[in-house]
Amino acid sequence: MTRRSLDEIDRQIVAQLSTDARTSNRQIASDLGVTEGTVRARIKRMEEEKQIRITAVTNIDRFRNGSLAYIWIEVERSYQVREVASELARITELGFVGEMLGRSDILAITMVRSNEHLAEFVHQRISGLPGVRRTESTLGVNFVKHDYRMARIVS
């Protein structure tokens, strides 16, 4: 299957859906001056080619009983980064796992109820994984801006 790049109409469709994924194809078509069938076909293609995924997103601003925990992970050997990251990605409680450049090799993000919950999670689920040398954790305490659409590519 060949993947095409997103053209201007695709990007406009994605922009509208990223604001409100419930926007109807009819409304998007009207706003863009194309047919509803065009919008439907383009959304279907982008989903099939895994260029977009339409899903509900938790509004982190509404969580009062939890904190966003950033877990910075250093691996023993550089060749282990991908393997450790893949193992972390299997942990359902982690909402983000990424290979990083800089001081740490991997960043994992999750929600925790308390400092104790974070410590327990890190010690029981992460520190003991083969290849993990050390971890450092930080808690987000006040979110000035949280854009759930952060996956947008800056133009």
Side-chain angles (χ1 to χ4, degrees):
M1 176 188 303
T2 57
R3 286 187 185 168
R4 344 179 298 162
S5 297
L6 299 182
D7 65 15
E8 185 57 32
I9 292 176
D10 291 337
R11 282 192 286 277
Q12 289 178 11
I13 291 169
V14 170
Q16 288 209 14
L17 290 172
S18 69
T19 302
D20 183 354
R22 295 172 300 170
T23 304
S24 70
N25 292 346
R26 179 180 298 163
Q27 181 62 51
I28 295 170
S30 173
D31 292 349
L32 302 182
V34 297
T35 68
E36 186 177 349
T38 296
V39 172
R40 186 174 29 263
R42 284 171 177 257
I43 291 171
K44 181 179 179 188
R45 176 188 42 80
M46 289 186 286
E47 286 179 311
E48 287 173 350
E49 293 179 2
K50 303 206 184 310
Q51 293 171 317
I52 65 169
R53 180 180 54 188
I54 298 172
T55 184
V57 178
T58 305
N59 186 349
I60 195 167
D61 298 332
R62 299 291 183 227
F63 278 94
R64 298 291 174 230
N65 297 350
S67 295
L68 202 56
Y70 300 85
I71 306 165
W72 303 92
I73 300 153
E74 188 178 309
V75 299
E76 293 172 354
R77 304 271 184 242
S78 59
Y79 69 85
Q80 295 174 299
V81 171
R82 183 152 290 141
E83 182 180 323
V84 172
S86 294
E87 192 63 31
L88 289 165
R90 290 195 237 335
I91 299 174
T92 58
E93 294 89 349
L94 295 174
F96 174 89
V97 175
E99 296 177 21
M100 310 302 283
L101 293 175
R103 202 167 82 190
S104 294
D105 300 304
I106 300 168
L107 170 62
I109 303 175
T110 190
M111 293 287 291
V112 295
R113 293 182 300 275
S114 64
N115 293 344
E116 294 79 14
H117 182 223
L118 172 59
E120 178 183 318
F121 178 75
V122 169
H123 293 308
Q124 290 183 0
R125 303 294 303 274
I126 296 176
S127 295
L129 291 176
V132 172
R133 178 186 300 167
R134 71 179 208 86
T135 65
E136 181 178 330
S137 301
T138 56
L139 289 173
V141 293
N142 183 28
F143 296 101
V144 177
K145 178 180 181 180
H146 173 252
D147 189 343
Y148 57 89
R149 301 167 298 164
M150 68 182 187
R152 290 181 302 187
I153 297 174
V154 177
S155 26

PDB file of all heavy atoms in Angstrom, residues 55-80:
ATOM      1  N   THR A  55     -10.279   9.471  17.830  1.00  0.00           N
ATOM      2  CA  THR A  55     -10.504   8.848  19.127  1.00  0.00           C
ATOM      3  C   THR A  55     -10.915   9.907  20.136  1.00  0.00           C
ATOM      4  O   THR A  55     -10.688  11.092  19.933  1.00  0.00           O
ATOM      5  CB  THR A  55      -9.215   8.126  19.595  1.00  0.00           C
ATOM      6  OG1 THR A  55      -9.485   7.440  20.810  1.00  0.00           O
ATOM      7  CG2 THR A  55      -8.067   9.081  19.795  1.00  0.00           C
ATOM      8  N   ALA A  56     -11.480   9.453  21.237  1.00  0.00           N
ATOM      9  CA  ALA A  56     -11.791  10.369  22.336  1.00  0.00           C
ATOM     10  C   ALA A  56     -10.516  10.588  23.139  1.00  0.00           C
ATOM     11  O   ALA A  56      -9.717   9.680  23.320  1.00  0.00           O
ATOM     12  CB  ALA A  56     -12.877   9.775  23.230  1.00  0.00           C
ATOM     13  N   VAL A  57     -10.338  11.800  23.636  1.00  0.00           N
ATOM     14  CA  VAL A  57      -9.149  12.147  24.401  1.00  0.00           C
ATOM     15  C   VAL A  57      -9.583  12.656  25.769  1.00  0.00           C
ATOM     16  O   VAL A  57     -10.481  13.487  25.875  1.00  0.00           O
ATOM     17  CB  VAL A  57      -8.329  13.250  23.673  1.00  0.00           C
ATOM     18  CG1 VAL A  57      -7.124  13.657  24.495  1.00  0.00           C
ATOM     19  CG2 VAL A  57      -7.909  12.768  22.293  1.00  0.00           C
ATOM     20  N   THR A  58      -8.955  12.141  26.805  1.00  0.00           N
ATOM     21  CA  THR A  58      -9.243  12.584  28.157  1.00  0.00           C
ATOM     22  C   THR A  58      -8.784  14.026  28.337  1.00  0.00           C
ATOM     23  O   THR A  58      -7.702  14.389  27.902  1.00  0.00           O
ATOM     24  CB  THR A  58      -8.496  11.697  29.169  1.00  0.00           C
ATOM     25  OG1 THR A  58      -8.844  10.345  28.916  1.00  0.00           O
ATOM     26  CG2 THR A  58      -8.855  12.064  30.588  1.00  0.00           C
ATOM     27  N   ASN A  59      -9.604  14.834  28.961  1.00  0.00           N
ATOM     28  CA  ASN A  59      -9.240  16.216  29.240  1.00  0.00           C
ATOM     29  C   ASN A  59      -8.479  16.252  30.562  1.00  0.00           C
ATOM     30  O   ASN A  59      -9.064  16.182  31.635  1.00  0.00           O
ATOM     31  CB  ASN A  59     -10.495  17.091  29.306  1.00  0.00           C
ATOM     32  CG  ASN A  59     -10.164  18.547  29.455  1.00  0.00           C
ATOM     33  OD1 ASN A  59      -9.024  18.919  29.707  1.00  0.00           O
ATOM     34  ND2 ASN A  59     -11.168  19.386  29.303  1.00  0.00           N
ATOM     35  N   ILE A  60      -7.171  16.372  30.463  1.00  0.00           N
ATOM     36  CA  ILE A  60      -6.315  16.299  31.646  1.00  0.00           C
ATOM     37  C   ILE A  60      -6.627  17.404  32.655  1.00  0.00           C
ATOM     38  O   ILE A  60      -6.406  17.255  33.848  1.00  0.00           O
ATOM     39  CB  ILE A  60      -4.835  16.323  31.222  1.00  0.00           C
ATOM     40  CG1 ILE A  60      -3.958  15.873  32.381  1.00  0.00           C
ATOM     41  CG2 ILE A  60      -4.410  17.680  30.718  1.00  0.00           C
ATOM     42  CD1 ILE A  60      -2.548  15.576  31.982  1.00  0.00           C
ATOM     43  N   ASP A  61      -7.151  18.531  32.177  1.00  0.00           N
ATOM     44  CA  ASP A  61      -7.480  19.633  33.075  1.00  0.00           C
ATOM     45  C   ASP A  61      -8.577  19.264  34.077  1.00  0.00           C
ATOM     46  O   ASP A  61      -8.724  19.917  35.098  1.00  0.00           O
ATOM     47  CB  ASP A  61      -7.936  20.857  32.270  1.00  0.00           C
ATOM     48  CG  ASP A  61      -6.843  21.374  31.358  1.00  0.00           C
ATOM     49  OD1 ASP A  61      -5.660  21.196  31.690  1.00  0.00           O
ATOM     50  OD2 ASP A  61      -7.179  21.947  30.307  1.00  0.00           O
ATOM     51  N   ARG A  62      -9.349  18.232  33.787  1.00  0.00           N
ATOM     52  CA  ARG A  62     -10.465  17.844  34.654  1.00  0.00           C
ATOM     53  C   ARG A  62     -10.062  16.838  35.731  1.00  0.00           C
ATOM     54  O   ARG A  62     -10.844  16.500  36.583  1.00  0.00           O
ATOM     55  CB  ARG A  62     -11.603  17.251  33.819  1.00  0.00           C
ATOM     56  CG  ARG A  62     -12.153  18.222  32.808  1.00  0.00           C
ATOM     57  CD  ARG A  62     -12.890  19.334  33.527  1.00  0.00           C
ATOM     58  NE  ARG A  62     -13.489  20.223  32.549  1.00  0.00           N
ATOM     59  CZ  ARG A  62     -13.413  21.529  32.602  1.00  0.00           C
ATOM     60  NH1 ARG A  62     -12.786  22.119  33.586  1.00  0.00           N
ATOM     61  NH2 ARG A  62     -13.969  22.271  31.687  1.00  0.00           N
ATOM     62  N   PHE A  63      -8.821  16.335  35.670  1.00  0.00           N
ATOM     63  CA  PHE A  63      -8.375  15.374  36.663  1.00  0.00           C
ATOM     64  C   PHE A  63      -7.887  16.100  37.900  1.00  0.00           C
ATOM     65  O   PHE A  63      -6.885  16.786  37.874  1.00  0.00           O
ATOM     66  CB  PHE A  63      -7.234  14.496  36.106  1.00  0.00           C
ATOM     67  CG  PHE A  63      -7.735  13.359  35.284  1.00  0.00           C
ATOM     68  CD1 PHE A  63      -7.834  13.490  33.913  1.00  0.00           C
ATOM     69  CD2 PHE A  63      -8.115  12.178  35.875  1.00  0.00           C
ATOM     70  CE1 PHE A  63      -8.299  12.445  33.139  1.00  0.00           C
ATOM     71  CE2 PHE A  63      -8.579  11.129  35.118  1.00  0.00           C
ATOM     72  CZ  PHE A  63      -8.677  11.261  33.745  1.00  0.00           C
ATOM     73  N   ARG A  64      -8.592  15.954  38.991  1.00  0.00           N
ATOM     74  CA  ARG A  64      -8.192  16.588  40.245  1.00  0.00           C
ATOM     75  C   ARG A  64      -7.570  15.575  41.195  1.00  0.00           C
ATOM     76  O   ARG A  64      -6.918  15.941  42.144  1.00  0.00           O
ATOM     77  CB  ARG A  64      -9.399  17.259  40.917  1.00  0.00           C
ATOM     78  CG  ARG A  64      -9.993  18.352  40.071  1.00  0.00           C
ATOM     79  CD  ARG A  64      -9.041  19.534  39.976  1.00  0.00           C
ATOM     80  NE  ARG A  64      -9.581  20.511  39.050  1.00  0.00           N
ATOM     81  CZ  ARG A  64      -8.897  21.057  38.058  1.00  0.00           C
ATOM     82  NH1 ARG A  64      -7.649  20.717  37.848  1.00  0.00           N
ATOM     83  NH2 ARG A  64      -9.443  21.935  37.263  1.00  0.00           N
ATOM     84  N   ASN A  65      -7.791  14.292  40.943  1.00  0.00           N
ATOM     85  CA  ASN A  65      -7.268  13.262  41.838  1.00  0.00           C
ATOM     86  C   ASN A  65      -6.003  12.620  41.301  1.00  0.00           C
ATOM     87  O   ASN A  65      -5.599  11.582  41.780  1.00  0.00           O
ATOM     88  CB  ASN A  65      -8.320  12.162  42.057  1.00  0.00           C
ATOM     89  CG  ASN A  65      -9.541  12.705  42.739  1.00  0.00           C
ATOM     90  OD1 ASN A  65      -9.539  13.831  43.216  1.00  0.00           O
ATOM     91  ND2 ASN A  65     -10.596  11.924  42.779  1.00  0.00           N
ATOM     92  N   GLY A  66      -5.391  13.216  40.311  1.00  0.00           N
ATOM     93  CA  GLY A  66      -4.214  12.599  39.741  1.00  0.00           C
ATOM     94  C   GLY A  66      -3.217  13.628  39.278  1.00  0.00           C
ATOM     95  O   GLY A  66      -3.534  14.803  39.120  1.00  0.00           O
ATOM     96  N   SER A  67      -1.995  13.177  39.094  1.00  0.00           N
ATOM     97  CA  SER A  67      -0.933  14.023  38.575  1.00  0.00           C
ATOM     98  C   SER A  67      -0.292  13.324  37.394  1.00  0.00           C
ATOM     99  O   SER A  67      -0.182  12.090  37.373  1.00  0.00           O
ATOM    100  CB  SER A  67       0.142  14.251  39.641  1.00  0.00           C
ATOM    101  OG  SER A  67      -0.390  14.967  40.724  1.00  0.00           O
ATOM    102  N   LEU A  68       0.156  14.093  36.451  1.00  0.00           N
ATOM    103  CA  LEU A  68       0.866  13.553  35.308  1.00  0.00           C
ATOM    104  C   LEU A  68       2.304  13.302  35.731  1.00  0.00           C
ATOM    105  O   LEU A  68       2.978  14.208  36.229  1.00  0.00           O
ATOM    106  CB  LEU A  68       0.810  14.548  34.149  1.00  0.00           C
ATOM    107  CG  LEU A  68       1.028  14.007  32.750  1.00  0.00           C
ATOM    108  CD1 LEU A  68       0.042  12.893  32.423  1.00  0.00           C
ATOM    109  CD2 LEU A  68       0.896  15.120  31.734  1.00  0.00           C
ATOM    110  N   ALA A  69       2.750  12.068  35.583  1.00  0.00           N
ATOM    111  CA  ALA A  69       4.105  11.683  35.990  1.00  0.00           C
ATOM    112  C   ALA A  69       4.965  11.453  34.757  1.00  0.00           C
ATOM    113  O   ALA A  69       4.569  10.733  33.839  1.00  0.00           O
ATOM    114  CB  ALA A  69       4.065  10.414  36.838  1.00  0.00           C
ATOM    115  N   TYR A  70       6.117  12.086  34.749  1.00  0.00           N
ATOM    116  CA  TYR A  70       7.106  11.925  33.692  1.00  0.00           C
ATOM    117  C   TYR A  70       8.210  11.044  34.250  1.00  0.00           C
ATOM    118  O   TYR A  70       8.824  11.381  35.268  1.00  0.00           O
ATOM    119  CB  TYR A  70       7.681  13.271  33.276  1.00  0.00           C
ATOM    120  CG  TYR A  70       6.634  14.222  32.754  1.00  0.00           C
ATOM    121  CD1 TYR A  70       5.886  15.010  33.623  1.00  0.00           C
ATOM    122  CD2 TYR A  70       6.378  14.323  31.392  1.00  0.00           C
ATOM    123  CE1 TYR A  70       4.910  15.878  33.150  1.00  0.00           C
ATOM    124  CE2 TYR A  70       5.410  15.184  30.905  1.00  0.00           C
ATOM    125  CZ  TYR A  70       4.686  15.954  31.796  1.00  0.00           C
ATOM    126  OH  TYR A  70       3.723  16.809  31.326  1.00  0.00           O
ATOM    127  N   ILE A  71       8.456   9.918  33.609  1.00  0.00           N
ATOM    128  CA  ILE A  71       9.458   8.971  34.092  1.00  0.00           C
ATOM    129  C   ILE A  71      10.570   8.914  33.052  1.00  0.00           C
ATOM    130  O   ILE A  71      10.374   8.426  31.941  1.00  0.00           O
ATOM    131  CB  ILE A  71       8.839   7.577  34.330  1.00  0.00           C
ATOM    132  CG1 ILE A  71       7.625   7.696  35.263  1.00  0.00           C
ATOM    133  CG2 ILE A  71       9.888   6.613  34.880  1.00  0.00           C
ATOM    134  CD1 ILE A  71       6.731   6.477  35.277  1.00  0.00           C
ATOM    135  N   TRP A  72      11.711   9.458  33.422  1.00  0.00           N
ATOM    136  CA  TRP A  72      12.883   9.503  32.546  1.00  0.00           C
ATOM    137  C   TRP A  72      13.703   8.247  32.814  1.00  0.00           C
ATOM    138  O   TRP A  72      14.038   7.956  33.962  1.00  0.00           O
ATOM    139  CB  TRP A  72      13.696  10.754  32.830  1.00  0.00           C
ATOM    140  CG  TRP A  72      12.876  11.998  32.680  1.00  0.00           C
ATOM    141  CD1 TRP A  72      12.171  12.639  33.657  1.00  0.00           C
ATOM    142  CD2 TRP A  72      12.639  12.723  31.480  1.00  0.00           C
ATOM    143  NE1 TRP A  72      11.526  13.730  33.123  1.00  0.00           N
ATOM    144  CE2 TRP A  72      11.801  13.812  31.791  1.00  0.00           C
ATOM    145  CE3 TRP A  72      13.071  12.573  30.163  1.00  0.00           C
ATOM    146  CZ2 TRP A  72      11.373  14.724  30.852  1.00  0.00           C
ATOM    147  CZ3 TRP A  72      12.652  13.488  29.214  1.00  0.00           C
ATOM    148  CH2 TRP A  72      11.813  14.547  29.558  1.00  0.00           C
ATOM    149  N   ILE A  73      14.028   7.510  31.764  1.00  0.00           N
ATOM    150  CA  ILE A  73      14.666   6.205  31.923  1.00  0.00           C
ATOM    151  C   ILE A  73      15.999   6.184  31.182  1.00  0.00           C
ATOM    152  O   ILE A  73      16.075   6.568  30.010  1.00  0.00           O
ATOM    153  CB  ILE A  73      13.742   5.091  31.396  1.00  0.00           C
ATOM    154  CG1 ILE A  73      12.425   5.118  32.194  1.00  0.00           C
ATOM    155  CG2 ILE A  73      14.419   3.727  31.479  1.00  0.00           C
ATOM    156  CD1 ILE A  73      11.245   4.588  31.459  1.00  0.00           C
ATOM    157  N   GLU A  74      17.018   5.721  31.875  1.00  0.00           N
ATOM    158  CA  GLU A  74      18.344   5.545  31.280  1.00  0.00           C
ATOM    159  C   GLU A  74      18.586   4.042  31.177  1.00  0.00           C
ATOM    160  O   GLU A  74      18.351   3.306  32.142  1.00  0.00           O
ATOM    161  CB  GLU A  74      19.381   6.192  32.201  1.00  0.00           C
ATOM    162  CG  GLU A  74      20.764   6.272  31.641  1.00  0.00           C
ATOM    163  CD  GLU A  74      21.699   6.962  32.617  1.00  0.00           C
ATOM    164  OE1 GLU A  74      21.351   8.065  33.094  1.00  0.00           O
ATOM    165  OE2 GLU A  74      22.756   6.377  32.911  1.00  0.00           O
ATOM    166  N   VAL A  75      19.043   3.581  30.015  1.00  0.00           N
ATOM    167  CA  VAL A  75      19.314   2.152  29.830  1.00  0.00           C
ATOM    168  C   VAL A  75      20.801   1.873  30.007  1.00  0.00           C
ATOM    169  O   VAL A  75      21.636   2.781  29.939  1.00  0.00           O
ATOM    170  CB  VAL A  75      18.814   1.635  28.462  1.00  0.00           C
ATOM    171  CG1 VAL A  75      17.311   1.815  28.331  1.00  0.00           C
ATOM    172  CG2 VAL A  75      19.541   2.308  27.321  1.00  0.00           C
ATOM    173  N   GLU A  76      21.124   0.613  30.239  1.00  0.00           N
ATOM    174  CA  GLU A  76      22.511   0.227  30.480  1.00  0.00           C
ATOM    175  C   GLU A  76      23.372   0.380  29.228  1.00  0.00           C
ATOM    176  O   GLU A  76      24.481   0.898  29.290  1.00  0.00           O
ATOM    177  CB  GLU A  76      22.569  -1.220  30.994  1.00  0.00           C
ATOM    178  CG  GLU A  76      21.950  -1.356  32.373  1.00  0.00           C
ATOM    179  CD  GLU A  76      21.819  -2.804  32.825  1.00  0.00           C
ATOM    180  OE1 GLU A  76      22.098  -3.730  32.037  1.00  0.00           O
ATOM    181  OE2 GLU A  76      21.412  -2.997  33.987  1.00  0.00           O
ATOM    182  N   ARG A  77      22.881  -0.063  28.100  1.00  0.00           N
ATOM    183  CA  ARG A  77      23.633  -0.022  26.840  1.00  0.00           C
ATOM    184  C   ARG A  77      22.746   0.589  25.754  1.00  0.00           C
ATOM    185  O   ARG A  77      21.547   0.314  25.697  1.00  0.00           O
ATOM    186  CB  ARG A  77      24.035  -1.429  26.400  1.00  0.00           C
ATOM    187  CG  ARG A  77      24.824  -2.200  27.416  1.00  0.00           C
ATOM    188  CD  ARG A  77      26.304  -1.931  27.227  1.00  0.00           C
ATOM    189  NE  ARG A  77      27.085  -2.742  28.125  1.00  0.00           N
ATOM    190  CZ  ARG A  77      27.861  -2.234  29.058  1.00  0.00           C
ATOM    191  NH1 ARG A  77      27.961  -0.949  29.224  1.00  0.00           N
ATOM    192  NH2 ARG A  77      28.564  -3.027  29.843  1.00  0.00           N
ATOM    193  N   SER A  78      23.343   1.390  24.900  1.00  0.00           N
ATOM    194  CA  SER A  78      22.551   2.110  23.897  1.00  0.00           C
ATOM    195  C   SER A  78      21.780   1.172  22.973  1.00  0.00           C
ATOM    196  O   SER A  78      20.682   1.506  22.532  1.00  0.00           O
ATOM    197  CB  SER A  78      23.438   3.056  23.076  1.00  0.00           C
ATOM    198  OG  SER A  78      24.456   2.329  22.422  1.00  0.00           O
ATOM    199  N   TYR A  79      22.303   0.001  22.698  1.00  0.00           N
ATOM    200  CA  TYR A  79      21.593  -0.929  21.820  1.00  0.00           C
ATOM    201  C   TYR A  79      20.322  -1.478  22.464  1.00  0.00           C
ATOM    202  O   TYR A  79      19.481  -2.072  21.794  1.00  0.00           O
ATOM    203  CB  TYR A  79      22.504  -2.080  21.359  1.00  0.00           C
ATOM    204  CG  TYR A  79      22.898  -3.048  22.456  1.00  0.00           C
ATOM    205  CD1 TYR A  79      22.059  -4.112  22.810  1.00  0.00           C
ATOM    206  CD2 TYR A  79      24.101  -2.912  23.122  1.00  0.00           C
ATOM    207  CE1 TYR A  79      22.416  -4.994  23.809  1.00  0.00           C
ATOM    208  CE2 TYR A  79      24.474  -3.788  24.120  1.00  0.00           C
ATOM    209  CZ  TYR A  79      23.619  -4.836  24.460  1.00  0.00           C
ATOM    210  OH  TYR A  79      23.977  -5.713  25.445  1.00  0.00           O
ATOM    211  N   GLN A  80      20.136  -1.244  23.764  1.00  0.00           N
ATOM    212  CA  GLN A  80      18.958  -1.756  24.472  1.00  0.00           C
ATOM    213  C   GLN A  80      17.774  -0.779  24.451  1.00  0.00           C
ATOM    214  O   GLN A  80      16.688  -1.141  24.889  1.00  0.00           O
ATOM    215  CB  GLN A  80      19.311  -2.060  25.930  1.00  0.00           C
ATOM    216  CG  GLN A  80      20.321  -3.174  26.089  1.00  0.00           C
ATOM    217  CD  GLN A  80      20.749  -3.330  27.534  1.00  0.00           C
ATOM    218  OE1 GLN A  80      21.295  -2.401  28.130  1.00  0.00           O
ATOM    219  NE2 GLN A  80      20.492  -4.505  28.100  1.00  0.00           N
TER     220      GLN A  80
END
